[in-house]
Amino acid sequence: MNLQSIDRLQSLLARVQANSKRPRTRSQGLSAALAAPGTPEVSSRESAPSTLTVAKAPAVSKAATVTKAPVVTKAPSLATPAIPSAAASSSKDAPAASASLREPPKSAPLPPTPLVALVTPPTPPVAKTSAVSQVESLPPESLSGDELLDVDLSVSEPPPAVVAKKAGSAEEARAPDRVSEVPIEDVSAEELGAEEISIEIASEVMLEAPEPASLPAQAASTSVVPKTFTAPPMLDELTFSEPPPALPAIREPKKEASVEPPPASSAQRISDAPGSIDAAILAATEAQGTASEPEVPAVTPPPESGPQIAVPPMPAPHVPSSTAGANTYRAVEPTMEQLGDVVELEPPSLVPLELAERRAAEARKAGEAGISGSEELEFVPQASEPSRRSSTRDPMQTLVGGFTEEAGSEPKTAVEKPISGISTEVGRAAKAAPSQELDFGDEAPTASSPLAPQAVARPVSTRQPPIVDVVSAARGYRPQSFAELLDASIGLLK
Amino acid sequence: MTEPAFDPAQALKIDLSRGLLTLQGSSGRVLVPTDGLVELLTAANGDAVAAFGAGMGSEIGRRISDRLGSGIQQASVELFLEHLGGELALTGLGSLSVERWGKALVLCVEGLKVDARLERVIASLLEAALQRSLSRDVAAILLSREGAVLRFLVAGRHARPQIEKWLAAGIPYGDVLTKLHQASVAESGTTRGES
C-alpha cells in the first residue's frame, strides 16, 4: 500500500509546488501538506485535533453505523472511511458529541505522544498557511523513499484532512462555509488511495489519541470507529434503498440547528470542485442512481421540541385543496358553501291533514256502526277481571292494529302520537295517520304500511265487564279539550 | 278556525360551523349517548334527577304554550298530544300516546330505554310540561311498565300518595283506575246528597 503511494505522493508533490504560488485556502494547504511527504507533522497539527475529536466521541462512533448522511452512505467505496465523520456531522443523538465537534480543538486535550505531541492547540488559518509554506520550502528531492515510507506508516496525518473533507467531517459539516472553500483540485481519490489512508488515520487516531478521562474504556474502544473499516461486508450489505434507521430525536438548541446546513448542500458545494475526491464521491453516488433520492434531513425535530415542522392536516372530504394543505394544526373548518350555514331539517312535503277531516271521518265511521252521537257506552278496564289480576298484560294490546267493535260500542279515544321523530316525513306521515287509523277496517294500516308504525291505532277496549258502578262515573263523559280531560283526571281522587 | 299543527321542520338546527345544536331557537343542546345519560342519572340523587326532567319539561311546556297561544285551554286532546308528543320526540325521549280510561288520563311513552332513572326523568318532564303549558299542578305516576311502554297516570298531586300506595300493594293498575272512579262516584254521591 505505502509503496504504491510513494509514486503518487511524488506526483502530488509536484502539483503542490505548482500550486504553491496561488493563494491557498486551508484545504489547499492540507492538500499540499498531504503532498509533502516530509511534513506530516505539520498537517497533523492541522487536522489531528478535529480528527481526534471525531474519533474520540463515543456517540459519534456509535452513530457511524447508523449514519443518516446521504452523501456518505451513498458513496460506494470511498464512503467507507468517511462514514464516521459524516455520521458525526449528522448524528443528533449525541449532544455531547455535537458539542465537542463544535468546540475548538483545544477542548480536546492531546497527550504528549510522539505523534500527537506535535499537535498543538488549533492554529489559526494564518499559522496553517505558514506551516504549509514551510513544507513547500522543503525540496522534494531531499526525501528518500524510506522517509516517505516512514511518513506513510507512522504519520497518517495528511489523510485525516482528506478524510475529513471527503466525508464531510464533523467540523466541516458543521461549518459549511469552510467546506465550501475546499476545492480539492489536486488530489483525486484514486491517486490518494483515500480509502487506505483513511484507514490508517483511524488506526492512528485510535492508537495515539489518549482517551479522555471522562470517557470509560468501553466507550473509548467503541469510539475508534474501526467497525466501519474492519467489517466492510457489513457496509457492503448496506443498501441505500433501505431507509436509514431513525435516530432518536434529541432536543438541541435552536441556534445549533439553525446553523447546521443540510448535508446535501455541503455535498453539493464540495462537488463543485472538479477532480476532487468529493467530486469523485458525488460522481460515484450519482452513478448508483441514488443522487436523486430524497435526502434524509440531518436534523430530525423531536416531537416534543418547540417549533416543529407542522404536519399538514388530513384533507377533509369536503375541504378544498387550498385549505387541505394548510400548514397548521388547526382543525379544518368547512366552508359555508360546502356545508351551508346551518343544516336544517327538510321542510314538510306533504299536505297536512286537517283535524276536521279526521273528525268527520270518525263521525262517519261511527254512524256506519249504528252508533248515534247520543249513545254512550260505559267502559271499564279489563283489569278488574279475575284473570287480569295476575297478569300484567294490557287487554288493550290485543286490539292494537285492529278494531273489534261490537254493536252498541263506541271507540272512546283513539289518539295516537302523531310524530315519532324529527324526520319530517315521518312526522308528516304520522299527521296523516289518524284519518286512516280511524277507519278501523281492513284498510287499517299495518306495519308494512308507509304510515306505520305511528299509524297503528290503539283504541280503547270495548269489551267491558259488567262493573256498572265504576263505569257509571264516566258515563256520558266526553272531554272537549285536553285541559278538560286533565281536570277530570285530576279530580278523580280529591 | 285552523288549529296550529306541530311542525317539526327546522326545529332542530345543527350549526356545523360553530358546532352548536339548537332546538327551536332555545339554548344550546348537547347530543349525549343514552347510556351515558343513564349513568349520570344513576350517580345523581332523586331530587337532581327530578330537577333535570322538570327543566326539560318546563321548556317543552313553554314552547307548546307559545305555539298554541291563548287557545291552549281549548285545544283538543289530539292537538295537544300532537304538540306534546312532538316535543318529546325531539328530545329523543320516546313517543307519546294518550289513553283515556273513563276520566283518567294516561300518558304512554314508548321507545325509551328501560331504566328507573329515565322513568323518573320522564315523569318529571310530563309534570313540568303540563304545569307550564296548562298551569295545572299534576302528578305523573308510573302505572305500569310493559316492555318498552310506560304508562303514567296524570292525577292530582294530592292523590299521589294514595295511588302509589295501591300500586305498592300490588294492585294492578286497572284496578287502581277503577278505584279512582269509585272514589269519584262516591264523592259525587256524597256531594249530591248534601245538596
Side-chain angles (χ1 to χ4, degrees):
Chain A
M1 178 184 71
N2 294 326
L3 294 176
Q4 295 176 357
S5 302
I6 293 174
D7 298 335
R8 297 175 184 174
L9 292 175
Q10 289 178 351
S11 62
L12 290 175
L13 183 60
R15 294 187 181 183
V16 169
Q17 291 177 352
N19 294 331
S20 62
K21 296 178 181 179
R22 297 184 297 180
R24 297 174 181 272
T25 61
R26 173 176 170 269
S27 299
Q28 286 175 337
L30 292 176
S31 302
L34 176 64
T39 58
E41 294 82 5
V42 176
S43 59
S44 66
R45 291 177 183 176
E46 299 175 352
S47 57
S50 61
T51 306
L52 284 174
T53 304
V54 173
K56 282 299 178 181
V60 172
S61 62
K62 293 178 182 178
T65 58
V66 195
T67 177
K68 291 183 67 177
V71 176
V72 176
T73 56
K74 293 176 183 178
S77 61
L78 295 177
T80 301
I83 286 176
S85 58
S89 64
S90 62
S91 174
K92 300 304 173 188
D93 57 349
S98 305
S100 64
L101 291 175
R102 298 174 192 282
E103 291 176 353
K106 61 183 178 181
S107 62
L110 299 175
T113 56
L115 282 176
V116 186
L118 298 175
V119 177
T120 57
T123 57
V126 176
K128 294 176 183 177
T129 305
S130 62
V132 170
S133 62
Q134 292 176 3
V135 172
E136 293 173 354
S137 62
L138 296 176
E141 295 77 6
S142 61
L143 297 175
S144 63
D146 296 336
E147 293 175 349
L148 290 174
L149 182 60
D150 293 337
V151 169
D152 198 5
L153 291 175
S154 61
V155 180
S156 58
E157 298 306 330
V162 177
V163 171
K165 286 183 288 184
K166 285 195 301 180
S169 67
E171 183 177 1
E172 292 179 356
R174 301 286 179 179
D177 295 337
R178 285 189 288 175
V179 173
S180 62
E181 297 175 357
V182 180
I184 308 176
E185 300 174 353
D186 302 335
V187 182
S188 63
E190 183 178 1
E191 292 175 340
L192 288 176
E195 183 175 3
E196 299 175 353
I197 294 174
S198 61
I199 292 173
E200 289 182 354
I201 287 164
S203 301
E204 289 292 337
V205 169
M206 177 177 59
L207 294 175
E208 298 297 335
E211 298 174 2
S214 59
L215 294 175
Q218 183 177 1
S221 62
T222 56
S223 66
V224 179
V225 200
K227 294 180 180 179
T228 307
F229 309 111
T230 57
M234 296 179 59
L235 294 174
D236 294 337
E237 291 175 0
L238 290 177
T239 57
F240 302 109
S241 59
E242 297 178 357
L247 294 176
I250 294 177
R251 186 188 307 273
E252 284 194 359
K254 295 179 180 179
K255 181 174 61 180
E256 295 183 3
S258 60
V259 172
E260 291 183 0
S265 61
S266 301
Q268 187 65 30
R269 292 189 177 185
I270 293 173
S271 64
D272 292 339
S276 63
I277 298 176
D278 302 300
I281 294 173
L282 186 60
T285 303
E286 294 176 355
Q288 281 194 342
T290 57
S292 60
E293 293 180 2
E295 296 177 347
V296 180
V299 178
T300 302
E304 68 277 5
S305 64
Q308 302 178 6
I309 299 175
V311 179
M314 291 293 293
H318 302 291
V319 176
S321 59
S322 59
T323 58
N327 188 12
T328 176
Y329 287 104
R330 187 181 178 185
V332 179
E333 294 183 0
T335 62
M336 292 300 177
E337 296 178 357
Q338 296 167 337
L339 298 177
D341 191 4
V342 173
V343 176
E344 300 176 352
L345 296 174
E346 296 179 357
S349 59
L350 301 177
V351 179
L353 187 64
E354 296 295 336
L355 293 176
E357 298 178 7
R358 278 184 270 170
R359 291 169 182 163
E362 182 180 4
R364 183 168 56 255
K365 187 63 181 176
E368 293 175 359
I371 302 174
S372 63
S374 60
E375 292 180 356
E376 296 292 341
L377 183 62
E378 300 171 352
F379 80 98
V380 64
Q382 293 183 358
S384 59
E385 296 178 2
S387 60
R388 175 62 178 160
R389 295 181 184 278
S390 59
S391 174
T392 58
R393 186 165 178 264
D394 186 3
M396 293 194 302
Q397 296 293 330
T398 60
L399 302 177
V400 172
F403 190 73
T404 58
E405 183 177 7
E406 296 179 354
S409 64
E410 178 188 6
K412 290 298 181 182
T413 304
V415 182
E416 185 63 26
K417 183 201 75 55
I419 299 169
S420 63
I422 62 174
S423 173
T424 304
E425 295 183 357
V426 174
R428 189 58 57 194
K431 288 181 179 179
S435 63
Q436 299 185 14
E437 67 189 30
L438 290 178
D439 291 340
F440 299 123
D442 297 334
E443 299 178 355
T446 60
S448 60
S449 172
L451 300 178
Q454 288 76 17
V456 177
R458 187 176 292 126
V460 178
S461 171
T462 57
R463 300 177 184 275
Q464 303 160 15
I467 306 178
V468 181
D469 293 339
V470 177
V471 177
S472 61
R475 178 177 297 175
Y477 178 72
R478 178 168 294 186
Q480 299 299 319
S481 65
F482 185 86
E484 182 183 348
L485 176 60
L486 182 62
D487 290 338
S489 182
I490 292 173
L492 281 178
L493 184 62
K494 292 183 179 179
Chain B
M1 174 183 174
T2 302
E3 295 174 326
F6 178 75
D7 186 6
Q10 301 183 3
L12 185 63
K13 296 182 179 180
I14 303 172
D15 191 347
L16 293 181
S17 61
R18 293 188 300 166
L20 296 178
L21 189 66
T22 58
L23 181 62
Q24 297 180 350
S26 60
S27 58
R29 294 292 190 272
V30 178
L31 282 176
V32 297
T34 307
D35 294 337
L37 178 62
V38 169
E39 291 181 3
L40 189 62
L41 294 175
T42 303
N45 55 26
D47 293 339
V49 173
F52 177 73
M56 297 179 65
S58 180
E59 288 193 15
I60 289 176
R62 178 185 56 80
R63 288 196 293 270
I64 294 174
S65 178
D66 293 342
R67 278 196 299 267
L68 297 181
S70 59
I72 190 172
Q73 299 295 336
Q74 290 76 35
S76 64
V77 177
E78 294 86 350
L79 179 63
F80 193 88
L81 173 65
E82 182 178 344
H83 286 265
L84 182 59
E87 291 289 345
L88 188 66
L90 284 177
T91 61
L93 291 177
S95 62
L96 182 67
S97 61
V98 169
E99 293 177 357
R100 181 171 71 84
W101 296 66
K103 291 183 179 178
L105 173 63
V106 176
L107 299 177
C108 300
V109 179
E110 186 176 1
L112 194 65
K113 180 182 176 64
V114 178
D115 184 79
R117 295 286 176 169
L118 278 181
E119 294 168 1
R120 186 71 186 91
V121 168
I122 294 297
S124 300
L125 185 149
L126 294 176
E127 293 173 359
L130 295 176
Q131 199 281 332
R132 181 66 174 82
S133 60
L134 297 173
S135 301
R136 264 76 165 180
D137 290 334
V138 298
I141 305 166
L142 181 63
L143 283 179
S144 68
R145 182 188 305 108
E146 297 179 356
V149 179
L150 302 177
R151 282 190 171 83
F152 293 93
L153 170 65
V154 180
R157 297 200 174 191
H158 57 275
R160 180 192 290 270
Q162 183 61 48
I163 296 172
E164 289 181 346
K165 182 180 178 180
W166 288 338
L167 293 173
I171 301 176
Y173 72 92
D175 290 352
V176 171
L177 293 175
T178 302
K179 286 178 175 293
L180 285 175
H181 284 83
Q182 288 174 342
S184 177
V185 170
E187 288 179 358
S188 62
T190 304
T191 305
R192 205 176 294 121
E194 290 178 354
S195 63

